[in-house]
Amino acid sequence: MSEQHSKARHRRGRKALAVGVPLALTVSGVLAYGTDLGFLGADAQQRAAAATAAAPAWAKATADGFASLNSLGQNGTYGGRDAQIVTVRTQADLEKYATAAEPYVIVVAGTITMNPVGKEIKVQSDKTIVGSGTAGHIVGGGFFLGTGVHNVIIRNLTIRDAYQGIWNDKDHDFDAIQMDGAHHVWIDHNDLRHMADGLIDVRKDSTNVTVSWNKLSNDNKAFGIGWTDNVVTDITIHHNWIRETEQRNPSTDNAAHAHLYNNFLEDVAGTDIKSSYGNYSRGKTKMVLENSYFQGMNNPVIKDSTATLVQRGSVFSGTSGRNESGGTAFDPKTYYAYALDAAANLPALLKSEAGPRSSIGTTSSAGTSTKAAATTLTVAKDGSGQYSTVQAAVNAVPANNASRVVIAVKPGTYRETVKVPSNKPHVTIQGTGGSRKDTVIVYNNAAGTPKPGGGTYGTGGSATVAVEADDFQARNLTISNDFDEKANQNLSGHQAVALRTAADKVFLDGIITEGDQDTLLLDTAAKDRLGRVYVRNSYITGNVDFIFGRASAVIDRSVITLKKRWDGTSAGYVTAPSTAANRKGILIANSAVNGDVSASSFFLGRPWHAGGDATLDPQTTVRNTTLSAAVKSTPWTDMSGFSWKDDRFAEYKNTGPGSGAAGSNRPHLTDAQAAGQEVADWLGDWTPTAS
């Protein structure tokens, strides 16, 4: 943040307010709260210090966007970080801790029905209120943050059902979250729906607010900002899925800086709820709108004559009416760093990742993790971790380890190859940055690259990361092969694998895999061995056979990006399964296939009978997935003398310009057949769980 902006914020004349616990004071519970802790005795101080040291990562999460800035006497938004963690299951306990003067991390571990209906708990400063997995529900009421309340985080909750039977209700001001004059508030990963009035109201000079990764739905008024003549509010709104809401999506009145990016606004056809408008810049608002997706919205973007609105990079699909911009606003990057997702990817991304997540805030009644603590090894290029390379950390995992080992990799680019051998199961490689783009493991071997000891690597040997151990997980990172085909035309064998798996129970969650030919090899340890792989909330980029192998693999709620060839041409194949007979092959479900390539240039797949093995029975099913115009109208093709019609290739209820009606060259599953080709059918007795 610039010095000029910081000074301007302090000139608003507000009194500096007490803040939460600074990071520098977290050595012990005593230091965090002063010398006597007030309400705690000496024994309790020791317990608090121990609890602080063991606090899970989600309890230390901090906001991004305008909520992260240092202003009004508050340096960022971190809620009750380093404070006592308490678990609540009743309205009385929730009120007790939320309204307390002391900082708390409050875990909502069940459904709390508010009495009376419409009650909004008056949250005080320095609080984190977080749902335990997906179990935290607030029914028939919500939260209120009054004047001067600051440093509050509300995450991972479902707040719902205060609706009183009147659609545009003027008599019941029942909101999910309302703030009047609050500052430094982060609303993240919540499901807000079916309330009597607004889902979120940011009112009366509330500022330094970030609203991210939420689902807002089934309501007349989604999200209002303003109710003041003062041009004060600074707000960031990103990665929210707003659907089936009529107005205020959001309506932004007299906001000094409103930064809206990567939101998905959806008006579903054939329902009773019709959108009046989408994003609205009014009064003296300065709004920057970037890379959002508007589906079926009426008047998707509107502005007053007095407001400014700069928009760029958004997608408008099936919209009608006003779509406006004008004036100059501001550059958000002068205030904070952020990265944009491509607008076309948002429907798949937000349908999978917005709202409460099962892996956040899972605690016991004592406030401690319900899972056995994993061993954690840290990797950092700058020497601040235990290891400076990922492979060194893998090497440190004991052979035949019986419990989970998490390799936490700090942001940076790690140019190396990594192999997790079969005798090191239960390994997780996890990036620790704010984005999966922050931590990158990359190398550039290809099938034809000479090996130091002679010969070449071959396709499987070219992998940047090779996983041969069962129960492997990867999340929040990028795995890439950046082999340069154009510069190596004299090389024989341009297959260049980013990630190869040859194991069972492999969970790839929230990652990016990038390459050209043969990006993602999903294999098994042997032809007769089961190898299940579940890929969720991820991005996969390539051009030729770039999802391939004999594993029983699910690509779920992910984005598959088609890439041009090295010479600029558009042609390729998404999948090349080599499935053994009587096994499941590749299932792509609830995802999106798109990319900056020519129309009708890519096949969905072709049968890979590895080594000419006629006993194989390759399978790809693509279902409930959005297909761009890049997909051919005859999406399957033959390979190496084997006809795709002799194997198992089918679609079911796909959408988008690349989808098509059933025919002899485009088989569709019947409803009965589709019932046996669900995600659970691929995974069997395995339920992937983040660990």
Side-chain angles (χ1 to χ4, degrees), residues 189-246:
H189 275 294
N190 300 288
D191 182 350
L192 311 175
R193 51 185 156 91
H194 207 222
M195 301 297 286
D197 192 55
L199 298 176
I200 302 174
D201 275 357
V202 178
R203 315 193 323 167
K204 299 182 180 178
D205 296 355
S206 294
T207 191
N208 290 104
V209 177
T210 297
V211 179
S212 56
W213 298 100
N214 300 283
K215 292 168 61 177
L216 287 76
S217 66
N218 194 18
D219 212 76
N220 177 254
K221 304 166 186 173
F223 188 174
I225 303 162
W227 289 272
T228 177
D229 292 331
N230 301 321
V231 185
V232 170
T233 300
D234 288 352
I235 188 166
T236 304
I237 303 167
H238 71 88
H239 289 95
N240 298 282
W241 180 18
I242 303 174
R243 68 183 303 273
E244 292 301 88
T245 54
E246 185 174 324

Side-chain angles (χ1 to χ4, degrees), residues 187-473:
I187 301 171
D188 178 72
H189 275 294
N190 300 288
D191 182 350
L192 311 175
R193 51 185 156 91
H194 207 222
M195 301 297 286
D197 192 55
L199 298 176
I200 302 174
D201 275 357
V202 178
R203 315 193 323 167
K204 299 182 180 178
D205 296 355
S206 294
T207 191
N208 290 104
V209 177
T210 297
V211 179
S212 56
W213 298 100
N214 300 283
K215 292 168 61 177
L216 287 76
S217 66
N218 194 18
D219 212 76
N220 177 254
K221 304 166 186 173
F223 188 174
I225 303 162
W227 289 272
T228 177
D229 292 331
N230 301 321
V231 185
V232 170
T233 300
D234 288 352
I235 188 166
T236 304
I237 303 167
H238 71 88
H239 289 95
N240 298 282
W241 180 18
I242 303 174
R243 68 183 303 273
E244 292 301 88
T245 54
E246 185 174 324
Q247 56 180 314
R248 301 182 186 172
N249 293 305
S251 169
T252 308
D253 185 32
N254 287 332
H257 303 93
H259 184 204
L260 283 61
Y261 70 92
N262 282 154
N263 298 295
F264 174 35
L265 277 67
E266 181 183 25
D267 186 338
V268 180
T271 70
D272 292 335
I273 300 175
K274 302 296 182 185
S275 55
S276 297
Y277 57 87
N279 296 163
Y280 187 4
S281 180
R282 53 190 279 190
K284 295 181 181 179
T285 293
K286 291 185 177 180
M287 178 182 291
V288 175
L289 168 61
E290 300 181 283
N291 286 38
S292 289
Y293 195 111
F294 298 82
Q295 176 67 55
M297 298 294 295
N298 295 313
N299 303 308
V301 183
I302 60 177
K303 65 177 287 295
D304 282 355
S305 60
T306 54
T308 61
L309 196 162
V310 174
Q311 63 161 301
R312 48 184 175 254
S314 294
V315 170
F316 299 88
S317 176
T319 60
S320 60
R322 296 165 63 184
N323 186 353
E324 301 167 339
S325 60
T328 58
F330 61 98
D331 181 0
K333 290 186 177 178
T334 64
Y335 298 93
Y336 52 82
Y338 65 100
L340 292 170
D341 283 306
N345 297 337
L346 293 176
L349 176 64
L350 294 181
K351 286 179 181 180
S352 65
E353 292 201 29
R357 308 299 302 278
S358 60
S359 59
I360 184 173
T362 303
T363 57
S364 68
S365 59
T368 57
S369 173
T370 59
K371 297 179 180 179
T375 300
T376 300
L377 307 176
T378 59
V379 178
K381 287 179 65 64
D382 61 6
S384 62
Q386 296 166 279
Y387 306 95
S388 59
T389 68
V390 180
Q391 187 62 56
V394 173
N395 294 343
V397 177
N400 302 309
N401 51 298
S403 60
R404 176 69 50 187
V405 177
V406 176
I407 298 174
V409 188
K410 293 186 178 182
T413 298
Y414 298 80
R415 181 161 285 278
E416 59 175 302
T417 59
V418 177
K419 181 177 180 180
V420 184
S422 60
N423 66 345
K424 296 189 177 185
H426 320 304
V427 168
T428 297
I429 300 178
Q430 178 167 323
T432 64
S435 164
R436 64 193 103 195
K437 298 176 182 178
D438 293 345
T439 304
V440 181
I441 306 173
V442 59
Y443 212 72
N444 61 347
N445 284 332
T449 301
K451 294 172 65 176
T456 58
Y457 282 101
T459 299
S462 71
T464 299
V465 175
V467 176
E468 298 178 353
D470 290 346
D471 195 20
F472 172 84
Q473 299 190 6

Side-chain angles (χ1 to χ4, degrees), residues 629-649:
V631 175
K632 290 177 176 285
S633 59
T634 54
W636 314 106
T637 190
D638 302 338
M639 184 177 185
S640 302
F642 290 91
S643 170
W644 70 268
K645 292 186 177 181
D646 294 332
D647 295 309
R648 296 174 289 168
F649 293 89

Side-chain angles (χ1 to χ4, degrees), residues 514-527:
E514 295 179 330
D516 289 310
Q517 183 173 354
D518 292 12
T519 302
L520 182 59
L521 171 51
L522 305 174
D523 211 352
T524 67
K527 180 180 175 180

